[in-house]
């Protein structure tokens, strides 16, 4: 049996992700981040940040950012899993199931955005000739991600706003890490964006602007999580 789709019928599109900014707005985003105090991080957040600083150094680097981006996808994966469970549970309430599925679509889009960050950072690691060890860049991220994933979904099961808050703290940390790194390495403004993933992510004038854009993405994810805290359980 062959099913023919009517081309006149529009299919719903996935969210396009955080907006791409021009050069002036990216520089302003950097200034805004550096002028804004970091969030008051919880004990759980500090339990993740401290080992990362001990293993990869307090200063930013492409290898450290690549490791952070492996972890950054985790809460969105946990929420996606819980969302599908909720859709099944509330299948008899179509309006609620639809709202839950919209949250799943948002989580999937945010996860994909973080995946592009990881691919970009891995490309920069290779271009910069930085070394990655099996222990620090394969095994350690897996253990931290395993911990973060299970904490995220357990918190979401108990109190969704706690899970959203923890993600907001992680994204706030990432935002400040990227913007601080750019500010401390002005030479990156002279390095052209290689544009390896330009077709999928967009292209900037320089690596500095590319990192500013990623930092701004993290801010957008943080704000989305803080907004979700207002209505953590859909009704």
């Amino acid at each position: 049996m062959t099913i023919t789709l009517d081309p006149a019928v529009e299919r719903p599109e996935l969210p396009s992700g955080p907006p791409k900014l021009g050069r002036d707005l990216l520089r302003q985003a950097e200034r805004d981040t550096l002028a804004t105090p970091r969030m008051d991080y919880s004990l759980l957040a500090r339990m993740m940040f401290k080992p990362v600083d001990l293993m990869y150094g307090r200063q930013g680097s492409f290898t450290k950012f690549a490791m952070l981006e492996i972890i950054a996808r985790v809460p969105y994966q946990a929420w996606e899993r819980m969302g599908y469970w909720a859709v099944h549970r509330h299948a008899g309430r179509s309006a609620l199931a639809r709202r839950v599925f919209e949250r799943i679509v948002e989580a999937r889009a945010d996860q994909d955005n973080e995946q592009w960050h990881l691919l970009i950072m891995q490309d920069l690691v290779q271009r910069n000739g930085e070394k990655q060890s099996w222990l620090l860049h394969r095994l350690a991220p897996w253990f931290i991600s395993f911990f973060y994933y299970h904490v995220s979904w357990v918190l979401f099961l108990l109190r969704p706003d706690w899970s959203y808050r923890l993600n907001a703290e992680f994204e706030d940390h990432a935002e400040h890490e990227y913007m601080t790194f750019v500010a401390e390495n002005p030479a990156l403004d002279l390095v052209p964006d290689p544009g390896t993933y330009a077709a999928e992510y967009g292209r900037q004038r320089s690596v500095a602007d590319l990192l500013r854009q990623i930092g701004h993405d993290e801010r957008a994810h943080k704000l989305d999580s803080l907004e979700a805290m207002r209505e953590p359980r859909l009704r």
Side-chain angles (χ1 to χ4, degrees), residues 174-226:
E175 173 195 350
H176 280 84
E177 289 288 298
Y178 277 113
M179 296 305 194
T180 299
F181 180 70
V182 171
E184 293 177 346
N185 294 273
L188 292 175
D189 274 305
L190 304 178
V191 180
D193 175 2
T196 307
Y197 298 101
E200 300 86 358
Y201 187 77
R203 188 167 194 158
Q204 298 293 343
R205 285 190 175 186
S206 65
V207 169
D209 282 346
L210 182 61
L211 297 179
R212 291 182 181 110
Q213 178 63 59
I214 294 176
H216 184 266
D217 288 354
E218 310 296 18
R219 181 195 302 175
H221 296 321
K222 173 185 71 176
L223 295 177
D224 286 345
S225 288
L226 292 175

Side-chain angles (χ1 to χ4, degrees), residues 96 114 142 152:
L96 175 58
E114 299 288 10
W142 186 88
S152 293

Side-chain angles (χ1 to χ4, degrees), residues 94-144:
S94 60
L96 175 58
R98 180 184 180 87
R99 290 195 295 273
V100 172
F101 187 70
E102 288 172 352
R103 283 278 180 95
I104 293 174
V105 172
E106 292 172 1
R108 180 74 241 185
D110 289 341
Q111 183 184 159
D112 289 346
N113 181 252
E114 299 288 10
Q115 180 65 52
W116 288 120
H117 294 174
L118 174 58
L119 293 174
I120 290 168
M121 297 315 304
Q122 289 286 15
D123 181 64
L124 292 175
V125 166
Q126 294 171 19
R127 290 176 180 275
N128 204 45
E130 296 185 13
K131 302 297 183 180
Q132 291 180 298
S133 70
W134 181 84
L135 177 62
L136 291 181
H137 301 96
R138 301 286 184 183
L139 186 61
W142 186 88
F143 275 113
I144 298 174

